Amino acid sequence: MRSNAIKHGPDRAPARAMLRATGLDDAAIAKPLVAVVHTWSNVSPCNLNLRDLAAAACEGVRAAGGTPIEFNTIAVTDGIAMGTSGMRASLVSREVIADSIELAVDGHCLDAMVVLCGCDKTIPAAAMALARLNIPGVALYGGSIAHGRLDERAITIQDVFEAVGAHGAGKLSSERLCQVEKKACPGAGACGGQFTANTMAMVLTALGLSPLGLNDIIATDAAKRDAAFRCGELALDCFNAKRLPRELLTPVAFRNAARLVAATAGSTNAVLHLLAIAREAGVALTLEDFEQASRSTPVLADLKPGGRYTAVELTDVGGAALVAAAMRDGGLIEDAATVTGRTLFEELDAAAPRMQGQDVVRPADAPLKPRGGYSILYGNVAPQGCVLKLAGHGRVRHEGPARVFDGEEQAFAAVQAGAIKAGDVVVIRNEGPAGGPGMREMLAVTAALVGRGLGNDVALITDGRFSGATHGFMVGHIAPEAARGGPIALLREGDHVVIDVESRTLSTDAPLEDRRAGWQPPAPKVTSGVLAKYARLVGSAAEGAVTHG
């Protein structure tokens, strides 16, 4: 046991004395010490149930013969921070969460771990920590929120953001906006569509780090506590079997994850996060692997933001197992090891999901769309690559005049003032990993465009990111970013910009390189504290925006 380093022998008497002060006796100290890590916070619904789930996970650890060591780490809630300077903290928190888990687990020489996560950045951080530490462990997602309901219609947080745009356009009264606001989020759980949280929860399953089916259970279902108990037991099973995360995090597992994102038209943030997780696991993964996954995988799941359903309906008809089974039937997914000790296909056979009698997931021979929900583009505006979101529209090309904004706030103000017209290409720059800093999501802008009825008539390109709730013709993660001299920094108002899916290009005929001599890097927006440190350390979005080599 790793923990012997802090508890065996006369020299460790001081450490044991401190462990005894927490209520542990000789028997408890002698057992494997299992970290139960969670990101509980009462600032939002996303992580609100995790403290209760941690208690259940601790019970599972004890039942299986271990001693739980519980601690928590931070969470930044995108839905609250969105559209503000606080959103700069979101992606940064992914690194801080992974780092803090590493420090607490390694600092106390713990033997195994259960990581309970809830919202967007806590989920990839959990996977990054498991890969980095490579000790026996399991991850569990706290679950999706239940539907909000207004006028007998199911609504989600996506409806609130889009209602803001409609209100700004004079299409929605203040009273109606208030009604949508009050009804959208009924209790604990992360955003209900196939936004970033639910996309990354599926990724955890595809990577083998979460047992099939357990992440699907919504946050307020009593069965979620049973799932946490099971994960506590499973951490000990992994410890006894010497089953390690990096044995699961293989190239096959990453291919499966990328295809599952494509098949569900999931969040483009998954590209950024999978690149970061792969870096921790020592697996070679590039943007081109995602293009291959998306081109070879049709959209099978009819999920928001581009579709009709949420995680609630998907769970009711079989959850991730149903999507994976449809993909297996179509030869779109490969067998792989999982945290349970059984393979993915063995887990699918045991789950036995049924395609009949539901319309949330289509069979592979009758897909919703012939290709997955994202594409990787290059070109003279994005030489290192960028990610085009394809969810919610059928367009494969857009060209028009650039409307250039240095930051999200300028762009949002222009949209709300009615200054953006059909055909425009909205350019939001200096929002990249270093330039933001923190690579904010542009949901406030994209939702405002949709709310004004422009979602199908304009395009938006940025070196920042998009929320999983974004839909429309949107290009993010442009690399190199503006703050580091990327060509997006050289675009000017009115430049003709072309986005072409078939040729996989984001380009302009403007003389970008002729302008380079007159370009100066912008002054840092933040000069002290964690954001300044992040800006100095962070790498390219094309490599996952990680803070180490």
Side-chain angles (χ1 to χ4, degrees):
M1 287 188 283
R2 282 170 29 117
S3 61
N4 286 346
I6 64 166
K7 65 188 187 184
H8 270 205
D11 292 347
R12 303 315 305 154
R16 290 193 300 274
M18 299 191 79
L19 291 172
R20 293 182 196 283
T22 69
L24 300 186
D25 59 16
D26 287 345
I29 293 171
K31 295 175 182 178
L33 302 184
V34 180
V36 176
V37 191
H38 54 87
T39 56
W40 176 85
S41 167
N42 67 358
V43 75
S44 78
C46 310
N47 301 281
L48 195 59
N49 63 331
L50 296 187
R51 196 157 57 178
D52 292 337
L53 297 184
C58 287
E59 293 171 11
V61 169
R62 292 187 190 98
T67 295
I69 304 295
E70 181 184 354
F71 61 92
N72 73 306
T73 180
I74 68 164
V76 174
T77 303
D78 291 13
I80 292 175
M82 197 75 67
T84 75
S85 60
M87 192 62 195
R88 293 191 176 109
S90 175
L91 185 60
V92 180
S93 75
R94 184 190 72 180
E95 311 304 303
V96 174
I97 295 164
D99 290 351
S100 66
I101 294 172
E102 174 192 2
L103 291 172
V105 171
D106 263 355
H108 300 98
C109 302
L110 303 180
D111 299 302
M113 56 197 292
V114 179
V115 188
L116 305 171
C117 45
C119 58
D120 299 3
K121 308 310 170 295
T122 68
I123 304 172
M128 291 166 68
L130 283 162
R132 186 185 301 175
L133 289 161
N134 199 36
I135 65 172
V138 57
L140 177 66
Y141 170 52
S144 174
I145 196 170
H147 286 143
R149 298 201 71 83
L150 181 63
D151 298 336
E152 303 304 315
R153 183 175 72 88
I155 62 173
T156 73
I157 194 69
Q158 176 185 344
D159 296 277
V160 186
F161 278 101
E162 293 177 6
V164 171
H167 178 265
K171 298 179 180 180
L172 194 73
S173 69
S174 296
E175 292 75 17
R176 186 62 172 177
L177 175 60
C178 185
Q179 290 174 352
V180 176
E181 170 193 330
K182 289 181 176 180
K183 295 293 185 180
C185 299
C191 301
Q194 192 66 349
F195 311 151
T196 304
N198 284 317
T199 298
M200 291 307 300
M202 278 196 183
V203 163
L204 288 182
T205 300
L207 292 176
L209 298 175
S210 296
L212 182 69
L214 298 194
N215 286 349
D216 298 329
I217 303 167
I218 69 169
T220 51
D221 190 325
K224 199 74 191 192
R225 201 176 191 282
D226 298 333
F229 183 93
R230 172 64 185 131
C231 286
E233 293 181 313
L234 189 55
L236 266 294
D237 182 65
C238 291
F239 173 79
N240 292 327
K242 297 181 173 60
R243 192 179 306 125
L244 302 177
R246 289 188 193 175
E247 296 171 0
L248 312 177
L249 295 171
T250 63
V252 169
F254 282 97
R255 285 198 297 271
N256 284 345
R259 291 169 182 163
L260 194 59
V261 175
T264 58
S267 170
T268 53
N269 281 318
V271 175
L272 194 75
H273 297 324
L274 277 166
L275 288 168
I277 298 165
R279 172 79 58 109
E280 299 287 357
V283 172
L285 192 70
T286 70
L287 285 177
E288 278 303 289
D289 294 310
F290 292 94
E291 177 65 21
Q292 176 58 31
S294 188
R295 281 190 172 270
S296 62
T297 308
V299 176
L300 304 181
D302 191 2
L303 298 173
K304 288 179 178 290
R308 295 178 292 167
Y309 298 116
T310 72
V312 175
E313 290 89 1
L314 179 60
T315 296
D316 287 344
V317 298
L322 183 63
V323 181
M327 293 175 69
R328 180 173 67 168
D329 290 346
L332 302 172
I333 201 166
E334 303 168 72
D335 203 8
T338 79
V339 70
T340 65
R342 297 182 293 275
T343 70
L344 175 61
F345 285 3
E346 288 171 340
E347 294 285 2
L348 286 176
D349 290 340
R354 295 169 55 88
M355 286 293 296
Q356 297 80 11
Q358 57 82 37
D359 63 351
V360 182
V361 178
R362 300 278 190 90
D365 59 1
L368 287 162
K369 294 181 180 179
R371 65 160 294 159
Y374 57 84
S375 182
I376 307 301
L377 311 182
Y378 298 92
N380 66 344
V381 178
Q384 292 179 358
C386 58
V387 184
L388 167 65
K389 187 158 191 171
L390 296 173
H393 63 83
R395 288 186 287 165
V396 295
R397 182 181 172 89
H398 182 99
E399 56 183 300
R403 303 299 311 280
V404 180
F405 302 97
D406 287 307
E408 179 185 14
E409 288 83 359
Q410 288 185 12
F412 183 74
V415 174
Q416 292 296 74
I420 304 301
K421 308 300 181 185
D424 286 347
V425 178
V426 178
V427 180
I428 307 178
R429 65 190 179 194
N430 293 310
E431 290 286 4
M439 205 178 179
R440 290 190 294 178
E441 294 177 349
M442 303 293 117
L443 178 58
V445 177
T446 60
L449 289 168
V450 171
R452 285 181 166 268
L454 291 169
N456 293 320
D457 300 314
V458 301
L460 189 154
I461 69 173
T462 180
D463 52 6
R465 296 180 295 130
F466 295 118
S467 164
T470 294
H471 57 112
F473 209 64
M474 310 296 175
V475 179
H477 307 202
I478 290 174
E481 62 174 290
R484 290 183 171 166
I488 189 175
L490 307 173
L491 285 173
R492 293 178 182 170
E493 186 80 6
D495 284 348
H496 188 72
V497 175
V498 179
I499 307 164
D500 192 300
V501 177
E502 292 305 317
S503 65
R504 297 179 55 203
T505 54
L506 171 61
S507 60
T508 180
D509 56 8
L512 298 182
E513 290 308 312
D514 292 347
R515 300 170 182 172
R516 185 166 295 282
W519 177 79
Q520 294 292 325
K525 295 174 186 172
V526 183
T527 57
S528 63
V530 66
L531 294 180
K533 179 166 63 176
Y534 179 86
R536 291 193 299 270
L537 295 175
V538 70
S540 171
E543 298 176 346
V546 296
T547 54
H548 60 84

